[in-house]
Amino acid sequence: MKQLAFFTFFSWLGAQSIQLNEIVSTNGAVLYDEDGDTPDWFELYNTSGQEINLNGYGITDDPNDLSMWVFPSIVLEPNGFLVIFASDKNRKDLVAEWDAVINWGDSWSYWPGTSAPVSNWDDPGTDISNWSTGPSGFGYGDNDDNTNLGQIISVFARKTFQIDDPTMITKALFHIDYDDGYIAYLNGEEFSRRNMGAPNTQVYYNETTTGLHEAEIYSGGFPEEISIDLNEFPIVPGDNTLAVEVHNYNTSSSDLSCIPFLTLGYNSEIDNATVPHQLMVLPSSYLHTNFKLSSNGEDLILSNQDEIVIDSIFTGTLETDMSFGRYFE
């Protein structure tokens, strides 16, 4: 990563495969984070020809606290580089690859809201084998419906998806284009609703929404984005279920739209990932430590899972947008 100035420094390396490669302690306008800020940053380099999982590695500017900031499970590719912001924001949910596990046009099981669906229809264990199947979106009136349902007050839809290793997932984004209100469930637990009253309150199949909301995609807009808290609503190994109900503002409404998406962010590349739809404006993500760097110079220390120091650098005084580095990319 080329900066306004690039100085070569040396510290003991031994036979270590992961090294501190470049440091900027006063980032003026060279590199921006996902918030539009310009924090200090440093870069790691995997000098080996093998993948290395950084889970449990520590980075610190305090030699008495080697585990000040501990890396999450993230794989650094052979001869790969990784930028980390020393911002004091303390973020570990880095996304290396996005996977569109549920996309526009995927097949769902659905129930038109001309009568009540089976009780607990959103629960993965509830039998819905008598439901119809069809591609999303569902609704009528806006020409954005792959499954046209005619004029109805509501629609209920459920889809199962499989996950091999949920520990690799750092972000889950639910997008939905809807008219006029919805409730969304992950594995039988409500995680989001709009225009449908208070969270976790019962809603009947023929209940109308508390407000109007126009669908966006058909007029050139974008679906609404909701970040799912994976601690509160975990994704599990094997089968998982996303369920959505969409309701209309009144029985004479000219349209209804239900187009759900689910996109998962992984901490390393996976096999057979599906590229997200072009409508998905997915956020950038970076790792952020819980400390900042001093422009007057200080030690930056990298240790392994056993808190054994594997690399250490004293940066010295750095002017704005100048970097110390070992390997020039």
Side-chain angles (χ1 to χ4, degrees):
M1 188 170 293
K2 189 174 182 180
Q3 310 300 328
L4 298 182
F6 190 92
F7 298 99
T8 302
F9 60 78
F10 299 93
S11 67
W12 64 272
L13 287 176
Q16 301 304 328
S17 297
I18 300 292
Q19 70 176 45
L20 293 160
N21 188 62
E22 188 174 359
I23 299 173
V24 172
S25 58
T26 307
N27 179 20
V30 170
L31 187 61
Y32 291 82
D33 70 8
E34 60 269 45
D35 302 324
D37 299 329
T38 55
D40 312 332
W41 58 268
F42 60 92
E43 181 183 64
L44 299 185
Y45 174 43
N46 179 2
T47 65
S48 76
Q50 297 180 333
E51 294 181 346
I52 296 178
N53 193 322
L54 297 176
N55 187 37
Y57 279 60
I59 190 75
T60 183
D61 61 353
D62 181 355
N64 296 314
D65 185 6
L66 295 180
S67 59
M68 176 180 287
W69 193 82
V70 177
F71 282 84
S73 178
I74 180 169
V75 174
L76 190 51
E77 299 296 325
N79 303 119
F81 297 86
L82 177 65
V83 169
I84 301 100
F85 282 107
S87 65
D88 201 26
K89 295 181 180 180
N90 193 22
R91 297 177 184 171
K92 299 185 179 183
D93 53 351
L94 180 70
V95 173
E97 184 168 39
W98 292 101
D99 181 25
V101 294
I102 297 179
N103 223 332
W104 190 5
D106 286 352
S107 181
W108 291 63
S109 298
Y110 69 92
W111 181 268
T114 53
S115 61
V118 62
S119 297
N120 300 318
W121 65 273
D122 55 286
D123 190 288
T126 300
D127 182 14
I128 57 169
S129 58
N130 64 328
W131 285 25
S132 300
T133 58
S136 65
F138 304 97
Y140 67 94
D142 286 333
N143 295 319
D144 57 359
D145 312 301
N146 288 317
T147 300
N148 195 306
L149 302 175
Q151 192 171 41
I152 54 173
I153 194 64
S154 62
V155 62
F156 302 80
R158 205 175 91 182
K159 182 172 179 59
T160 299
F161 60 97
Q162 287 75 39
I163 296 298
D164 292 332
D165 184 3
T167 64
M168 296 177 62
I169 299 171
T170 59
K171 283 185 182 293
L173 296 180
F174 172 69
H175 290 80
I176 184 168
D177 198 30
Y178 64 97
D179 182 329
D180 287 287
Y182 75 86
I183 307 175
Y185 312 83
L186 181 62
N187 294 328
E189 298 293 330
E190 178 187 327
F191 67 87
S192 180
R193 73 164 65 191
R194 298 286 188 272
N195 290 341
M196 297 304 302
N200 295 303
T201 56
Q202 184 175 4
V203 173
Y204 296 98
Y205 80 94
N206 56 355
E207 193 165 331
T208 55
T209 63
T210 58
L212 289 165
H213 181 277
E214 188 65 23
E216 298 285 346
I217 292 176
Y218 81 95
S219 60
F222 297 90
E224 184 172 340
E225 177 184 297
I226 295 90
S227 180
I228 301 174
D229 185 338
L230 292 174
N231 292 316
E232 187 175 359
F233 306 102
I235 291 173
V236 300
D239 287 347
N240 292 263
T241 300
L242 180 66
V244 182
E245 59 181 284
V246 168
H247 293 247
N248 234 328
Y249 182 67
N250 57 45
T251 56
S252 60
S253 176
S254 62
D255 53 11
L256 180 143
S257 293
C258 172
I259 308 176
F261 305 78
L262 183 63
T263 312
L264 303 181
Y266 285 81
N267 60 14
S268 60
E269 294 183 359
I270 62 171
D271 294 332
N272 303 315
T274 300
V275 176
H277 195 280
Q278 61 185 4
L279 289 167
M280 301 297 97
V281 182
L282 300 173
S284 300
S285 67
Y286 296 92
L287 295 175
H288 290 256
T289 67
N290 56 357
F291 62 89
K292 297 181 179 180
L293 301 177
S294 171
S295 59
N296 295 322
E298 64 176 345
D299 289 310
L300 188 61
I301 304 165
L302 178 68
S303 59
N304 65 15
Q305 297 96 328
D306 299 318
E307 294 195 347
I308 296 173
V309 174
I310 60 174
D311 201 2
S312 177
I313 291 169
F314 181 79
T315 62
T317 301
L318 290 175
E319 296 181 12
T320 300
D321 288 333
M322 289 188 176
S323 71
F324 270 1
R326 285 192 177 113
Y327 181 88
F328 192 56
E329 298 170 61

